[in-house]
Amino acid sequence: MKTLLATLLVLLSLMTITTYTSAQETETRSHIYLGAGVEKEFSNKLSAELDFQGRFGLTKTYQDFLITPKIEYSPLKFVAIGAEYRTTFSHEEGESSECTGRFGTWLKAKWSPSIFKLEARLKYCNYTEDVADRDGDYANKQYLRTKLLGSVKIKSIKLTPYISYEWFYELNRNLVVKDRLIIGAKKKLNKRNTIALEYMFEEKFNRGKGKKEFNNHIFSLSYKYTFPYKPKESD
């Protein structure tokens, strides 16, 4: 885990340097995300989660604070459905603070042969506020997000490396406008405590006439505490 952290810090330094040499047509930015969450497993099929996250810009000074309650239900071993509502409190240097909301719901297919796990998720998102974000995009947009994920569980050290790719299809304009490549790892400290470290490369494109495209380099560290499901003992 220390080696992974050192590697990501080196990448962060390199990506920050490239910001100053990027072409005018595409702006490159670096960010740090820090998160914490609490999960409650009500059964083997139903769980709820409350996530908190802080987002901090390194090449453009801003702070975002996100609160996201979510719930997920698995009617079958290989299928899950879920929903969430995310509230974002944003502040940028020299600008007034604002609060925005986003609703999301998803359908997930999952397959776990042996130590490997594959997932495919289709997610619908609808931003509920008619205000412009810091990139000049209006928030009252609807997206279909398709995500593919693969992971492997290394049981001997309780570590799960993973990689995923996701693209965003904007329903308002019928265009793919963003994609994300994520590489990370989760470390299970014990039955209740988990930490995760990841790097995300995000591209924003097809933004419209006169708007710059963006490349974002995002480094994340998160912690989750789980209240595991305990089946009732039979008499």
Side-chain angles (χ1 to χ4, degrees), residues 3-213:
T3 303
L4 181 60
L5 178 59
T7 302
L8 289 177
L9 288 176
V10 171
L11 284 171
L12 173 60
S13 301
L14 292 174
M15 297 309 179
T16 302
I17 292 171
T18 60
T19 301
Y20 300 98
T21 59
S22 60
Q24 290 186 351
E25 292 80 9
T26 302
E27 184 174 337
T28 302
R29 298 177 179 177
S30 299
H31 314 259
I32 290 286
Y33 290 0
L34 300 175
V38 179
E39 180 184 31
K40 170 62 178 175
E41 296 176 349
F42 296 99
S43 70
N44 292 327
K45 296 183 176 182
L46 180 65
S47 65
E49 193 171 335
L50 181 62
D51 290 338
F52 303 89
Q53 188 181 66
R55 298 180 175 181
F56 308 94
L58 299 180
T59 50
K60 187 174 183 181
T61 305
Y62 76 90
Q63 301 87 37
D64 286 347
F65 299 96
L66 293 74
I67 302 175
T68 311
K70 60 181 71 173
I71 190 167
E72 186 170 279
Y73 176 68
S74 298
L76 300 170
K77 187 177 181 179
F78 54 88
V79 175
I81 55 175
E84 66 182 16
Y85 187 83
R86 188 183 77 184
T87 303
T88 303
F89 302 92
S90 301
H91 176 74
E92 185 174 345
E93 188 175 6
E95 302 289 339
S96 59
S97 300
E98 62 184 28
C99 176
T100 58
R102 190 205 71 186
F103 169 76
T105 185
W106 61 87
L107 173 66
K108 184 189 298 182
K110 45 190 179 178
W111 183 52
S112 302
S114 185
I115 61 173
F116 299 99
K117 182 178 181 180
L118 299 174
E119 283 188 6
R121 187 191 71 184
L122 183 63
K123 183 176 184 178
Y124 167 78
C125 290
N126 180 20
Y127 289 80
T128 58
E129 301 294 331
D130 187 14
V131 295
D133 64 16
R134 66 175 52 86
D135 294 335
D137 294 327
Y138 276 86
N140 61 339
K141 290 186 176 181
Q142 301 179 69
Y143 295 94
L144 277 180
R145 299 167 50 175
T146 305
K147 183 176 182 179
L148 304 174
L149 178 144
S151 65
V152 57
K153 184 179 292 185
I154 307 174
K155 294 183 179 180
S156 59
I157 56 175
K158 297 182 179 180
L159 185 70
T160 306
Y162 56 88
I163 184 170
S164 70
Y165 177 72
E166 182 176 20
W167 62 94
F168 291 60
Y169 183 83
E170 185 186 317
L171 296 173
N172 306 67
R173 295 188 296 153
N174 294 319
L175 286 172
V176 176
V177 295
K178 181 164 63 174
D179 65 0
R180 290 173 173 173
L181 175 67
I182 298 176
I183 301 172
K186 294 181 181 180
K187 171 70 174 178
K188 196 164 188 176
L189 304 177
N190 51 45
K191 193 174 183 179
R192 295 177 180 269
N193 299 275
T194 305
I195 59 173
L197 189 65
E198 68 179 34
Y199 163 73
M200 178 197 301
F201 176 69
E202 178 183 73
E203 294 180 296
K204 290 187 176 183
F205 44 86
N206 289 331
R207 301 187 62 246
K209 187 177 180 180
K211 293 183 179 180
K212 284 186 177 181
E213 297 183 350

